[in-house]
């Protein structure tokens, strides 16, 4: 099943399934079974009932409207991996070196969550905003110190996450938080595909298309740490709850895209498509009012500095479409 959260006629968010029909996709409301997709995933009986309904004739159901979707789940935690695909390494590291012993884990904070129809607003001062297309695992059952053998039993489904990152902020410190956690930097969706539709998460093709050009194309068979291992590993330290997201990392960009790197700018679009799951398109924009306010702040800051008063500086290069090449996308 493809499970979504959509805005109903009353303006409230409701769980639903997207069902294929002879004349296009239909939407099956599941609000009587659960209050949210994460609640549905954690209730085996409700999920089974949803599956039975989704298998019935969908001709009577309303047409599916993608514009009505919001983020399919609201995770309590968004845990991400860096450098989990072979060939994807930090700058200066030999790509043929031995695999690391443990996953490189970082966190995206709750303010980063965005739905499949939300544009990412490039913040003032962000000079090198980049994209990362990733398979995101949605936890369906509470996972606390689970074994490797049982780890996949705790998966509720799979979706797509664009781990939007500002490389300039990321390179300023040993920890990546400030480069990863601007508002809206985690577009998620459009739906959660249940595990029966994805029999092997280590056999999916991850591709990214930027403005019509394929910039990433690599199979999850080349990941260093499998979905099962990552869930097992994380659950030894913290408890994973239904709705939590574990994003499994991005492949390295193709050589041509790597060589032609330039930051995302106003009007750009990025589509992440993953076999067996679907695709997520994210558009990037700027808030003109915020930019103008930041420029005024910069003017005041410059005047204050001339008077000996220290202040933060707005970087006028934020809207530039050029930037230093970097291979350090995590």
């Amino acid at each position: 099943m493809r499970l979504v959260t959509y805005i109903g006629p009353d303006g409230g968010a409701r769980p639903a399934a997207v069902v294929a029909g002879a004349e296009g996709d239909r939407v099956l409301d599941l609000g009587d079974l659960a209050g949210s997709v994460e609640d549905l995933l954690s209730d085996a009986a409700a999920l089974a009932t949803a599956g039975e309904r989704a298998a019935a004739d969908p001709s009577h159901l309303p047409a599916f409207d993608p514009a009505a979707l919001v983020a399919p789940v609201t995770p309590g935690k968004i845990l991400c991996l860096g450098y989990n695909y072979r060939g994807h390494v930090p700058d200066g590291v030999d790509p043929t070196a031995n695999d690391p012993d443990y996953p490189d884990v970082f966190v995206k904070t709750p303010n980063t969550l965005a739905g499949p129809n939300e544009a990412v607003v490039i913040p003032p001062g962000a000079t090198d905003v980049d994209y990362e297309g990733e398979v995101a695992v949605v936890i369906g059952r509470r996972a606390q110190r689970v074994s490797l053998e049982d780890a996949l039993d705790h998966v509720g489904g799979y979706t797509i996450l664009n781990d939007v990152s500002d490389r300039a902020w990321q390179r300023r410190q040993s920890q990546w938080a400030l480069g990863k956690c601007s508002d809206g930097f985690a577009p998620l969706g459009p739906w959660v595909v249940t595990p029966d539709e994805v029999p092997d998460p280590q056999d999916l093709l991850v591709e990214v298309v930027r403005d019509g050009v394929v910039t990433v194309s690599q199979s999850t068979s080349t990941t260093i740490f499998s979905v099962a291992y990552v869930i097992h590993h994380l659950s030894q330290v913290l408890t994973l709850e239904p709705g939590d997201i574990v994003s499994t990392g991005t492949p390295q960009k193709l050589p041509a895209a790597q060589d032609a790197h330039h930051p995302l700018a106003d009007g750009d679009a990025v589509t992440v498509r993953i076999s067996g799951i679907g695709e997520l398109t994210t558009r990037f924009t700027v808030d003109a009012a915020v930019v103008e306010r930041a420029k005024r702040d910069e003017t005041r800051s410059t005047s204050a500095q001339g008077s000996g008063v220290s202040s933060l500086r707005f970087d006028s290069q934020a809207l530039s479409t050029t930037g230093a090449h970097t291979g350090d996308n995590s």
Side-chain angles (χ1 to χ4, degrees):
M1 278 188 297
R2 292 173 291 171
L3 299 175
V4 298
T5 300
Y6 82 108
I7 303 302
D10 62 353
R14 300 178 65 83
V18 178
V19 182
E23 298 180 357
D25 285 340
R26 305 283 179 161
V27 62
L28 170 65
D29 188 289
L30 300 173
D32 63 319
L33 295 178
S36 65
V37 170
E38 47 266 48
D39 289 344
L40 188 63
L41 293 174
S42 64
D43 186 335
L47 193 61
T49 300
E52 292 171 1
R53 293 183 184 178
D57 179 9
S59 60
H60 66 288
L61 298 173
F64 169 57
D65 179 8
L69 298 185
V70 295
V73 294
T74 303
K77 298 182 281 297
I78 304 175
L79 303 169
C80 304
L81 301 188
Y83 308 115
N84 190 36
Y85 282 77
R86 292 189 173 88
H88 182 202
V89 296
D91 284 340
V93 174
D94 180 0
T96 65
N98 293 335
D99 291 340
D101 293 329
Y102 302 104
D104 197 347
V105 181
F106 62 94
V107 173
K108 289 180 85 81
T109 45
N111 63 295
T112 63
L113 182 67
N117 296 310
E118 295 182 61
V120 170
V121 179
I122 299 172
T127 60
D128 196 1
V129 176
D130 205 358
Y131 55 87
E132 298 184 4
E134 308 190 2
V135 176
V137 181
V138 183
I139 299 300
R141 288 177 49 211
R142 193 170 193 262
Q144 184 180 50
R145 292 184 289 278
V146 300
S147 68
L148 181 60
E149 294 74 20
D150 294 337
L152 289 182
D153 292 339
H154 296 263
V155 172
Y158 302 90
T159 187
I160 301 171
L161 183 137
N162 188 338
D163 175 19
V164 182
S165 310
D166 181 359
R167 304 299 179 203
W169 277 99
Q170 192 175 342
R171 291 191 295 268
R172 289 173 187 170
Q173 54 199 346
S174 61
Q175 304 298 311
W176 296 343
L178 294 183
K180 296 286 189 176
C181 293
S182 290
D183 294 344
F185 267 25
L188 188 75
W191 41 59
V192 176
V193 177
T194 50
D196 57 300
E197 303 281 347
V198 185
D200 184 1
Q202 306 312 136
D203 187 24
L204 304 174
L205 179 62
V206 177
E207 292 189 310
V208 179
V209 181
R210 177 178 179 176
D211 298 324
V213 178
V214 176
T215 59
V216 172
S217 183
Q218 193 166 338
S219 171
T220 57
S221 64
T222 63
T223 53
I224 299 168
F225 301 103
S226 68
V227 169
Y229 180 84
V230 172
I231 293 172
H232 156 72
H233 177 73
L234 293 172
S235 75
Q236 306 309 305
V237 177
L238 49 82
T239 301
L240 301 174
E241 301 287 356
D244 283 350
I245 294 292
V246 178
S247 201
T248 56
T250 184
Q252 181 64 284
K253 290 177 183 173
L254 296 172
Q258 193 73 1
D259 293 341
H261 169 77
H262 57 282
L264 290 162
D266 187 32
D268 283 348
V270 171
T271 296
V272 183
R273 60 191 186 200
I274 301 175
S275 60
I277 299 177
E279 63 180 45
L280 170 69
T281 296
T282 301
R283 300 190 181 279
F284 293 80
T285 187
V286 297
D287 186 327
V290 172
V291 171
E292 287 304 313
R293 185 165 63 247
K295 288 180 178 178
R296 291 195 298 270
D297 290 345
E298 179 186 23
T299 300
R300 288 195 293 268
S301 172
T302 301
S303 299
Q305 288 175 349
S307 303
V309 178
S310 175
S311 180
L312 292 175
R313 175 182 176 275
F314 167 70
D315 195 331
S316 61
Q317 296 178 358
L319 304 183
S320 170
T321 58
T322 61
H325 166 73
T326 174
D328 193 20
N329 56 316
S330 54

